[in-house]
């Protein structure tokens, strides 16, 4: 007989039965095997167990519970923390928008500042077809 | 100690709705159940469960795995909310308020008997001192281990066993003869 089995005597068995009832699954894990062994060997154990089982059965009559309201879980979840949109997303959108605006502005202002292409071409044409007056003077 | 809820709590705290849903699925029935057994009132039990989860959402972003498991902490919150309500109830009303009253209407005999017995048990449970009722709710109905129940109640296992034994003894006295009485009553009154 081990020390653990020695520790399970009628007094301790009755204490555990009084606290946890007749179902050994509710007993402290370390006592279950010893309790089963003791119950199988002790002449009075079965009467004690039957007495405890009577109360267990009555308690089990009150085990079932009405189903909670259908919307209770929804109400609870509605108050749960929400994922915040990552801030880089908004920055990226803003940056893209800024780029687009900047591009439009640059494009527009570049068009205004650049010299008119037609006037420049006209100048080259006039230089090309102008009479070479300087050569005439030298000669 | 690895907390089975640790990751869910962290994610729910960061706003992950799926994690929040999983926490609700896992723990809402237990919270409603323990509150119902403590308060013997369905609507109040749901209010308590909702309040527990409000505190869960508030704590989740800064939850640090520590000495107690998250479920233990939730049970403690639920029980403390119940104790507060029971205290206020006692201050305001008579001690039998909120007790389930045995239904005297005739029903089919099996159903009638079951309801009567359940009502008597609820009534006897409601009359127990709060801590004894909490111990029985956690160990008998929620089937938590003695260690988990003792942690929730913040007492030693020996003290838990004492609460359980006193509670069961009181219930046994209160319910003595219930089954026999009801059987006799059913023969004489219920159809």
């Amino acid at each position: 007989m081990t020390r653990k089995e020695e520790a399970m005597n009628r007094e301790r068995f009755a204490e555990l039965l009084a606290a946890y009832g007749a179902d050994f699954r509710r007993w402290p894990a370390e006592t279950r095997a010893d309790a089963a062994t003791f119950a199988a060997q002790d002449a009075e154990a079965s009467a004690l167990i039957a007495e405890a089982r009577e109360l267990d059965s009555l308690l089990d009559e009150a085990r079932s519970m009405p189903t909670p309201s259908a919307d209770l879980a929804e109400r609870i979840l509605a108050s749960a923390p929400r994922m915040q949109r990552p801030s880089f997303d908004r920055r990226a959108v803003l940056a893209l928008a800024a780029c687009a605006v900047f591009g439009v502005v640059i494009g527009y202002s570049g068009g205004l500042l650049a010299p008119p292409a037609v006037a420049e071409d006209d100048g080259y044409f006039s230089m090309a077809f102008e009479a070479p007056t300087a050569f005439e003077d030298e000669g | 100690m690895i907390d089975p809820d640790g990751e869910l709590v962290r994610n729910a705290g960061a706003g992950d709705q799926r994690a929040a849903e999983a926490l609700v699925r896992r723990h809402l029935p237990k919270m409603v159940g323990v509150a119902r057994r403590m308060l013997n009132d369905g609507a109040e039990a749901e209010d308590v469960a909702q309040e527990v989860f409000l505190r869960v959402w508030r704590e989740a972003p800064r939850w640090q795995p520590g000495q107690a498991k998250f479920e233990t902490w939730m049970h403690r919150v639920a029980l403390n909310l119940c104790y507060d309500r029971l205290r206020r109830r006692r201050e305001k009303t008579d001690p039998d308020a909120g007790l389930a009253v045995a239904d005297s209407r005739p029903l089919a005999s099996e159903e009638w008997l079951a309801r009567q017995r359940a009502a008597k048990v609820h009534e006897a449970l409601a009359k127990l001192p709060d801590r004894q009722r909490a111990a029985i709710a956690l160990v008998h109905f929620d089937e938590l281990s003695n260690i988990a129940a003792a942690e929730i109640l913040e007492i030693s296992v020996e003290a838990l066993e004492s609460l359980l034994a006193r509670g069961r003894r009181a219930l046994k006295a209160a319910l003595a003869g219930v089954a026999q009485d009801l059987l006799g009553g059913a023969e004489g009154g219920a159809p």
Side-chain angles (χ1 to χ4, degrees):
Chain A
M1 184 176 278
T2 65
R3 286 189 64 196
K4 276 180 76 180
E5 283 169 337
E6 280 171 4
M8 182 61 72
N9 52 32
R10 189 173 297 154
E11 189 186 357
R12 181 61 182 144
F13 186 83
E15 277 176 7
L16 290 166
L17 203 56
Y20 299 103
D23 189 340
F24 291 157
R25 286 172 298 184
R26 291 197 182 92
W27 287 36
E30 69 278 9
T31 66
R32 287 174 202 157
D34 293 349
T37 305
F38 180 84
Q41 291 169 353
D42 188 84
E44 290 180 24
S46 57
L48 292 172
I49 290 171
E51 199 181 323
R53 187 167 289 132
E54 202 172 303
L55 180 59
D56 287 351
S57 303
L58 272 175
L59 287 176
D60 288 339
E61 298 267 5
R63 174 173 291 284
S64 71
M65 281 279 163
T67 313
S69 309
D71 65 339
L72 178 61
E74 284 172 29
R75 277 185 277 138
I76 287 170
L77 283 168
S79 63
R82 296 278 163 185
M83 186 86 78
Q84 290 186 343
R85 296 176 74 80
S87 54
F88 67 84
D89 268 358
R90 196 166 57 182
R91 281 208 303 267
V93 170
L94 286 173
L96 277 174
C99 283
V101 170
F102 186 69
V104 168
V105 169
I106 290 296
Y108 181 71
S109 58
L112 285 180
L113 293 173
V118 175
E120 204 171 83
D121 288 348
D122 283 348
Y124 289 131
F125 273 115
S126 60
M127 281 175 68
F129 292 101
E130 205 170 5
T133 49
F135 292 113
E136 283 175 11
D137 289 345
E138 281 173 8
Chain B
M1 178 180 65
I2 295 172
D3 191 332
D5 292 318
E7 194 176 344
L8 281 180
V9 174
R10 273 193 302 279
N11 292 341
D16 181 342
Q17 282 295 288
R18 283 187 185 173
E21 284 167 18
L23 275 178
V24 169
R25 254 195 321 276
R26 188 179 288 181
H27 294 296
L28 179 59
K30 292 179 201 168
M31 295 301 115
V32 175
V34 79
R36 265 186 201 272
R37 295 196 193 286
M38 291 303 293
L39 300 169
N40 207 17
D41 182 303
E44 271 202 279
E46 291 191 6
D47 287 348
V48 164
Q50 194 165 359
E51 178 64 29
V52 170
F53 275 95
L54 280 177
R55 293 187 189 199
V56 167
W57 306 146
R58 207 157 56 220
E59 287 300 314
R62 53 175 180 267
W63 175 259
Q64 294 289 329
Q67 295 139 352
K69 285 199 296 185
F70 195 73
E71 185 178 5
T72 304
W73 175 81
M74 284 182 80
H75 268 101
R76 280 183 195 160
V77 172
L79 284 176
N80 284 331
L81 289 168
C82 290
Y83 294 150
D84 287 345
R85 282 172 182 259
L86 288 165
R87 195 165 41 243
R88 285 200 297 271
R89 195 189 277 178
R90 281 187 204 107
E91 286 165 3
K92 285 181 185 170
T93 59
D94 68 279
D96 286 346
L99 294 184
V101 177
D103 190 351
S104 60
R105 288 173 300 169
L107 294 167
S109 41
E110 267 313 306
E111 190 186 345
W112 181 84
L113 282 172
R115 283 198 193 183
Q116 295 293 87
R117 281 195 299 269
K120 291 275 186 191
V121 173
H122 283 302
E123 191 177 329
L125 279 166
K127 285 181 175 169
L128 287 181
D130 296 346
R131 303 275 287 173
Q132 292 177 20
R133 184 162 64 258
I136 288 174
L138 296 174
V139 173
H140 186 88
F141 292 110
D142 286 355
E143 299 183 341
L144 294 180
S145 73
N146 59 335
I147 293 168
E151 272 178 14
I152 289 167
L153 296 171
E154 299 181 84
I155 55 177
S156 66
V157 167
E158 291 74 22
L160 172 76
E161 287 181 1
S162 171
L163 279 178
L164 287 169
R166 281 182 283 145
R168 285 179 63 94
R169 205 161 43 239
L171 285 173
K172 195 176 159 189
L175 297 170
V178 162
Q180 290 83 346
D181 287 353
L182 288 172
L183 278 172
E187 282 162 11

